[in-house]
Amino acid sequence: MALLETRGLTRRFGGLTALDGVDLSLGAGEILGVIGPNGAGKTTLFSLIAGSLRPSAGAILLDGQPVTRLPAHRRVRAGIVRTHQIVRPFANLTVFENVLVAAMHAHGGAAGHARDRAADVLELVGLADRYDQPPSALTLAGRKRLELARALATGPRVLLLDEVVAGVNPAEALAFAQLIRRVRDGRGVAVVMTEHVMPAVMSLSDRIIVLEHGKRIAEGAPRDVVSDPRVIAAYLGSEAAAAGEAAP
Amino acid sequence: MTVPPLIPRGMARVFLAVCVVLAVLPALDLSLYTHNLLTRAYILIAAALAWNWMGGFVGQISFGHAAMFGVGGFVAARGMLDLHLPPQLCWLGGAVAAGVFALGAHPLLRLRGPYFSIATIGVGEASRVVFTYWEKFTGGATGLSLPIDADFQYQLYWWTLGVAAVVAAASVVIRRSSFGLRLLAIKADVEAAADVGISATLYQDLIFMLSGAVVGLCGGLSASYASFIEPSDTFGFERSIAFVLMAVIGGTGTALGPALGAAVFVLVDTSLLASYPELHLGLYGVLLINIMLFEPLGLLGLGQRVLRLARGPKPAPRRA
Amino acid sequence: MARLADLVVSAVLLAGLYATMAYGLGLIYGVLRVVNLAHGGVIMAGAYVGWVLFDRFGVDPYLAIPVVLVLGFALGVAMYRVLIRRLPRGASGGPASLLLLFGVWLVLRNIAYLLFTGNDRSIRTAYSSSSLAIAGTHVPVTRLIVLAIGLVIAVGLHLLLHRTLVGRAIRAAAQNADSCTLVGIDVERIYRLTFGIGTALAGVAGVLLATVFSFNPASGSSELLKSFVVVVLGGLGSMSGVVLAALVVAAAEVFAVLILPSYLTSAVGFLLLVLVLVLRPGGLFGHRVLA
C-alpha cells in the first residue's frame, strides 16, 4: 500500500483549473520529483497535499486513510509537512525556538522530548552554532536550512519540499541534496520535491512526475521522463520535441 | 548547546520579595490616599497584563476589552445584590461570565490585524449600547450601588495585590512556556504556524478566554472598590483605550511591561485628572503617537535599548 | 406599499452617504495597505468645520465643501509627512500604524471637545426641513443633495483615477509599489497624495453627514465601522462594488429599524461587520482577511 496517494486531485480558482485530476502515489523512503513549466500547478499540488488549500474535487490518502478533510495543522501531526518556496521563518523567535515550536507537534505525539529533538535537528542541518540568533541574522541558505530543520523537527513521514534549492549557490545545493538523501536513508522519510534546478531533481529523485496546465503528462524514471517528447514539448514547444526525435 | 531554563531562580526570588514588601506596606502607616491609589493600580496592572496576552503575545490588538470588563463587573455586582453571595465568589462568577463572552467572540479570532481590531471596536460599542439600555440588569444610566463597607474596601488592597501577583506570575509563565511560544509563532505568521502543526484557533480561543476572564475579574474588583458600577463608564471606549495605552506605555514586547505601564498610567491619570481633566484623551493620543514613532516597545523597550547600548555592540536576539 | 417605497428611497439616499464615507478609507487602504483608524475622527472633524463655517460665517454647508476638501487634503498630507512616513513598512508596521492613527483620532476628538464642547450639533439650514414629493413619498431635500454630491464625487474620483496621469500612478502604486519605483514614479509623492485625497474625502463625507444627522466629538466609531464594512464588502477594484456595498449596508440598516428596537439599530453596523468579515472567505484585494 502506498504511503501517500492522491486520487483525481483537482483545484479550481473561479474559472481557472489550476490542478486537474492528478493521481500520484508515493511509497515510504521514496523521493518523487515534480517538475513542469511555470503555472503547471506544482505549488498548488503542494498546498493541497499539505492542507493549506482545500481541493475542489479528489482525495488525499495517507496509509490508505483519507486526510482530505484534515486542516493543515492536523496533517502535520499525521505526518505530512511542507516547506515554503519563499521561506517563512518566525522572525520574532530565535533559530532554536523556530525549530522547537515545530518539534512540539511531532508526528506520533512524542512531544515530550521536543527540546532534544530540536537540538538534534539543528545539528543535522548544521545550524547548531546559530541557535540563539534571529532568522534575520542568517543568509538565505541558512534560512532555507532553518525551514528544512523546522519541517524535519515535526518528525514527518512525508516531506514536501517546495523549491528548496532555488537561489542558493551550487556548493550549498549539493549540501542540501546530501542532506535530503541522509534524511531519506536515515529516517525513512518519503519526499516529494518540486524544483526548477534540474540537476538537483534528476540526481535525487527515484521517480519523476511532470505537470502541465494542471494535468499529469508524464511519469517515470528521471532519464526516461527527460527524453519524453511530450515533456520536451511542454517546456520548449512542439518543434523542439520534433527536433529531439529527429536527432540521433 | 545549553537549553535555557523556564524561569531563572533569581527572578522568582525578586518577585516574591516585591510581593512581600507590598503586602506589608500598609502596616507602615501609609496614607489612605496612597493605599487606595495602590489598590486601583493593582486592578489595572492585572487588567493590562491580561490585555497584553492578546495584544502582545499573539498580536491581536483589541480595542474592545471594556466589554469583558463590564460583563465581569455587572455579573459580580448582580451576584452581590440579588444573590447575596460573598464578594469573592461574585468576582469569580464575573470572571467566568467574561470568559464565556470571550469564547462567544470566537468568530472574530479568524480575523487578522486591523480587521480584528476594528471588529473589537464594534464589539465594545455594541456592548455599551446594549448594556446601557438593558436597565433591568445594569440599572441603565444610574448604574448599581453595592453594599461595600469601608473596612472591606480597605482589605481590597490585599485581594487586588494577590490577583495582580498571580496574573503577573501567570504572564511570565505563559510567555516562557510552550503555550507562549506557540502564541508568538501565531503572531509572526499564522499560516506558517499551521504548517508546523499549531492549531491557531485553539490557542487563540484559549488565550482570549483567559484574557477576558481576568479582565472580567478586574471588573468585579473595580466595582467592589468603587461600591458602584455604571454601564457607560464600564463599557466605555475610554476604558478600552486605557487598557491599550497601559500595555503600550509599558511595552507590549515583554511579559511584565504592561505592569509598569499600568503603574505609570495610574500616576499620570490621577495627576492629570486633577489638573487637566479635559485633556485626557488628547494626551493619551499624543502619548500613543510618540510611543509608536520613537519606541514602539514602550518603556521596557526603551530600557532594553539603553542597556544594549551600555553593554556595547553585541548581536543580541531581538524579541517581539 | 407606500411604506416600502419610503424605505427603499431612504436606503438609496443613505447609500450615497455611505459610499462617500467609504471611498477615503478604501483608497488609503488600497494604495498604502494602511487601515486609517483616524478615518472616523476626520469625518467628525469635517462635520465640525462645515458646522463652524455655517454657524459663525453663514456659509452654506454644500458650498463649504471645497474648503473642507482643501483642508482635509492638507491634513492628510501633513499626517503622512509627519507621522505615517516614519513607520516601518510591511507587517511590522501594521500594529504600529493602527495605534498611531488611533492616537491621532483621540487628539482630533479632544480638540473638537475643547473647541466645541460635547454637545450634539447639526447643520440646520433654511431648507433643512423641506422635502420633495418623489415616488409617492416625501424625501428630505438635504438627503437628495447629499446623494447628488455623492454621485458627483464618485464620478470625479473615477475620472481622477482613470483619466489622469496621477490617477494612473495611484492605481499602479496600489498594485505594485516596487515596480513603480523602477519606472520612475515617485512613490512617496503618490502615497502623500493618496493620503491627502483619502482624508479630503473623509472630511467631505463629514460635512454631508452633518447636514443629515447630528454629531458630537465622540462620533466616528460607527462611521468607521460602516465605512469598513462597505470597503470589505465592495472591494476597491470597482466603484460599482463600493456603491453596491453601500446600498447593501444602507438597506440593512433601514430595514433593521422594522425588526429591532431603536437602540439596537446602532449595533447593526457592528453585526454587519462581523457577518461580512466572517462570511467573506474570498479576501480583500487578494489579501487574506481571514487566518
Side-chain angles (χ1 to χ4, degrees):
Chain A
M1 184 176 53
L3 174 60
L4 176 75
E5 221 188 307
T6 75
R7 292 188 195 153
L9 204 53
T10 305
R11 172 71 197 200
R12 283 177 278 267
F13 292 101
L16 174 72
T17 305
L19 209 66
D20 196 354
V22 169
D23 298 330
L24 66 81
S25 78
L26 185 67
E30 222 192 320
I31 298 185
L32 179 71
V34 177
I35 64 174
N38 274 325
K42 306 191 293 291
T43 301
T44 309
L45 178 64
F46 265 46
S47 299
L48 287 171
I49 300 179
S52 353
L53 278 181
R54 286 287 167 86
S56 313
I60 303 164
L61 300 132
L62 185 67
D63 275 338
Q65 301 298 321
V67 295
T68 334
R69 293 206 166 279
L70 285 186
H73 69 269
R74 288 277 198 80
R75 291 196 205 187
V76 171
R77 316 242 183 166
I80 303 177
V81 76
R82 70 170 300 175
T83 65
H84 301 96
Q85 196 171 337
I86 302 176
V87 292
R88 297 166 77 160
F90 299 122
N92 54 354
L93 303 181
T94 63
V95 163
F96 180 70
E97 287 166 339
N98 261 274
V99 180
L100 177 62
V101 79
M104 294 190 299
H105 302 98
H107 161 68
H113 305 288
R115 296 188 94 94
D116 294 330
R117 193 205 318 277
D120 285 341
V121 169
L122 277 179
E123 291 276 359
L124 181 68
V125 303
L127 283 175
D129 55 339
R130 309 273 215 150
Y131 77 99
D132 69 345
Q133 290 182 1
S136 52
L138 300 174
T139 60
L140 176 64
R143 266 174 269 153
K144 291 223 165 212
R145 284 177 191 247
L146 179 59
E147 186 89 5
L148 183 61
R150 220 169 54 174
L152 289 175
T154 64
R157 304 173 64 206
V158 176
L159 182 61
L160 305 168
L161 298 174
D162 198 346
E163 296 199 26
V164 76
V165 288
V168 303
N169 65 51
E172 277 286 350
L174 195 60
F176 260 104
Q178 287 171 339
L179 201 51
I180 293 170
R181 262 198 219 97
R182 272 173 74 189
V183 164
R184 186 268 300 268
D185 297 338
R187 298 164 185 231
V189 176
V191 177
V192 182
M193 59 183 297
T194 160
E195 264 312 332
H196 281 298
V197 179
M198 282 305 161
V201 160
M202 290 301 149
S203 62
L204 277 173
S205 312
D206 300 321
R207 250 192 321 135
I208 292 195
I209 282 184
V210 186
L211 294 181
E212 189 201 11
H213 295 320
K215 289 198 177 63
R216 191 183 78 183
I217 60 168
E219 181 186 356
R223 199 172 319 161
D224 302 329
V225 159
V226 139
S227 41
D228 187 323
R230 283 171 300 171
V231 176
I232 299 177
Y235 272 100
L236 299 172
S238 24
E239 288 158 13
E245 278 202 320
Chain B
M1 186 193 80
T2 50
V3 161
L6 191 60
I7 300 184
R9 281 269 185 81
M11 187 185 203
R13 286 203 194 111
V14 167
F15 182 72
L16 273 170
V18 168
C19 289
V20 166
V21 167
L22 289 174
V24 301
L25 213 53
L28 303 174
D29 204 21
L30 214 58
S31 75
L32 189 62
Y33 175 76
T34 318
H35 182 95
N36 287 339
L37 185 72
L38 283 172
T39 310
R40 280 206 312 277
Y42 297 148
I43 297 177
L44 290 178
I45 285 174
L49 286 169
W51 179 92
N52 198 43
W53 294 346
M54 287 295 292
F57 290 11
V58 83
Q60 295 277 54
I61 298 178
S62 159
F63 288 113
H65 255 52
M68 289 162 302
F69 187 80
V71 165
F74 276 101
V75 166
R78 277 290 163 197
M80 285 185 249
L81 286 173
D82 299 341
L83 304 174
H84 305 292
L85 293 170
Q88 293 82 354
L89 218 57
C90 297
W91 299 333
L92 275 175
V96 169
V100 170
F101 185 92
L103 264 184
H106 165 87
L108 262 63
L109 288 170
R110 296 166 68 200
L111 309 172
R112 303 302 308 167
Y115 300 94
F116 175 78
S117 298
I118 296 194
T120 58
I121 297 180
V123 172
E125 286 297 277
S127 308
R128 187 180 57 80
V129 165
V130 167
F131 281 96
T132 308
Y133 277 94
W134 188 8
E135 292 191 3
K136 278 195 73 181
F137 186 64
T138 66
T142 33
L144 301 173
S145 276
L146 297 173
I148 308 277
D149 58 39
D151 270 341
F152 188 69
Q153 199 197 35
Y154 190 82
Q155 286 166 25
L156 274 175
Y157 179 94
W158 287 279
W159 287 105
T160 54
L161 173 60
V163 168
V166 167
V167 173
S171 294
V172 174
V173 169
I174 291 178
R175 184 61 155 51
R176 289 163 178 255
S177 68
S178 46
F179 183 23
L181 201 59
R182 290 176 172 117
L183 292 176
L184 287 173
I186 292 173
K187 178 185 182 182
D189 188 334
V190 64
E191 283 171 10
D195 289 336
V196 298
I198 300 174
S199 168
T201 19
L202 174 64
Y203 293 106
Q204 286 192 113
D205 273 338
L206 202 51
I207 199 68
F208 197 22
M209 196 186 62
L210 286 172
S211 177
V214 170
V215 171
L217 180 66
C218 295
L221 288 168
S222 179
S224 291
Y225 172 78
S227 54
F228 174 71
I229 184 171
E230 181 257 327
S232 67
D233 160 62
T234 327
F235 283 101
F237 206 27
E238 279 80 357
R239 179 79 51 181
S240 287
I241 296 168
F243 294 145
V244 177
L245 211 56
M246 290 187 274
V248 168
I249 291 174
T252 52
T254 61
L256 294 178
L260 179 61
V264 169
F265 179 85
V266 168
L267 282 171
V268 169
D269 198 53
T270 18
S271 52
L272 254 191
L273 225 38
S275 348
Y276 307 107
E278 307 192 317
L279 292 185
H280 239 139
L281 288 181
L283 282 166
Y284 294 164
V286 168
L287 203 56
L288 263 179
I289 293 174
N290 278 294
I291 293 177
M292 285 306 126
L293 282 181
F294 302 118
E295 184 49 83
L297 293 180
L299 286 174
L300 276 194
L302 192 62
Q304 281 174 338
R305 243 211 272 182
V306 167
L307 269 176
R308 236 174 286 147
L309 284 172
R311 279 207 199 115
K314 176 200 176 224
R318 187 108 208 260
R319 309 268 191 115
Chain C
M1 272 328 277
R3 187 70 209 221
L4 183 64
D6 266 338
L7 293 174
V8 169
V9 168
S10 287
V12 170
L13 297 174
L14 203 55
L17 181 63
Y18 287 174
T20 314
M21 273 181 359
Y23 296 138
L25 189 67
L27 193 63
I28 292 178
Y29 183 73
V31 175
L32 287 101
R33 301 279 181 265
V34 164
V35 175
N36 183 8
L37 229 56
H39 183 71
V42 176
I43 291 179
M44 179 265 298
Y48 270 108
V49 169
W51 181 79
V52 163
L53 287 174
F54 173 70
D55 191 69
R56 308 278 156 90
F57 304 105
V59 177
D60 180 271
Y62 304 115
L63 296 178
I65 285 180
V67 174
V68 175
L69 269 173
V70 169
L71 285 175
F73 184 78
L75 176 65
V77 169
M79 272 171 69
Y80 182 79
R81 265 218 160 110
V82 175
L83 304 172
I84 318 290
R85 189 175 49 124
R86 309 231 179 127
L87 292 173
R89 288 253 159 256
S92 49
S97 70
L98 269 188
L99 292 168
L100 181 83
L101 288 163
F102 187 66
V104 171
W105 183 7
L106 293 179
V107 171
L108 286 172
R109 203 162 131 163
N110 209 157
I111 293 177
Y113 182 72
L114 288 174
L115 290 175
F116 307 113
T117 81
N119 295 334
D120 279 346
R121 312 279 180 191
S122 65
I123 302 182
R124 303 228 132 263
T125 59
Y127 50 86
S128 286
S129 10
S130 336
S131 52
L132 293 177
I134 296 184
T137 90
H138 287 277
V139 175
V141 164
T142 47
R143 297 218 181 195
L144 270 174
I145 300 181
V146 163
L147 180 64
I149 294 181
L151 282 171
V152 168
I153 290 178
V155 170
L157 196 58
H158 181 90
L159 287 175
L160 175 74
L161 288 177
H162 291 266
R163 297 292 168 87
T164 67
L165 206 57
V166 167
R168 246 171 274 166
I170 291 177
R171 281 187 300 132
Q175 288 212 348
N176 193 330
D178 290 326
S179 304
C180 285
T181 328
L182 286 176
V183 299
I185 297 180
D186 183 352
V187 173
E188 278 296 302
R189 181 172 158 257
I190 295 298
Y191 284 168
R192 253 196 335 260
L193 277 174
T194 309
F195 213 89
I197 296 175
T199 338
L201 287 171
V204 171
V207 176
L208 297 179
L209 196 90
T211 60
V212 178
F213 297 118
S214 64
F215 60 93
N216 61 52
S219 306
S221 342
S222 65
E223 285 71 21
L224 174 68
L225 288 179
K226 284 176 202 161
S227 305
F228 200 65
V229 176
V230 171
V231 167
V232 171
L233 200 48
L236 188 66
S238 57
M239 289 294 204
S240 42
V242 170
V243 168
L244 226 74
L247 269 168
V248 169
V249 173
E253 217 178 85
V254 163
F255 284 95
V257 175
L258 288 179
I259 358 174
L260 295 175
S262 62
Y263 63 85
L264 276 184
T265 47
S266 55
V268 166
F270 159 68
L271 283 169
L272 259 175
L273 176 67
V274 174
L275 263 162
V276 164
L277 286 174
V278 167
L279 295 177
R280 189 164 199 246
L284 179 65
F285 316 136
H287 292 264
R288 308 259 316 239
V289 174
L290 301 178

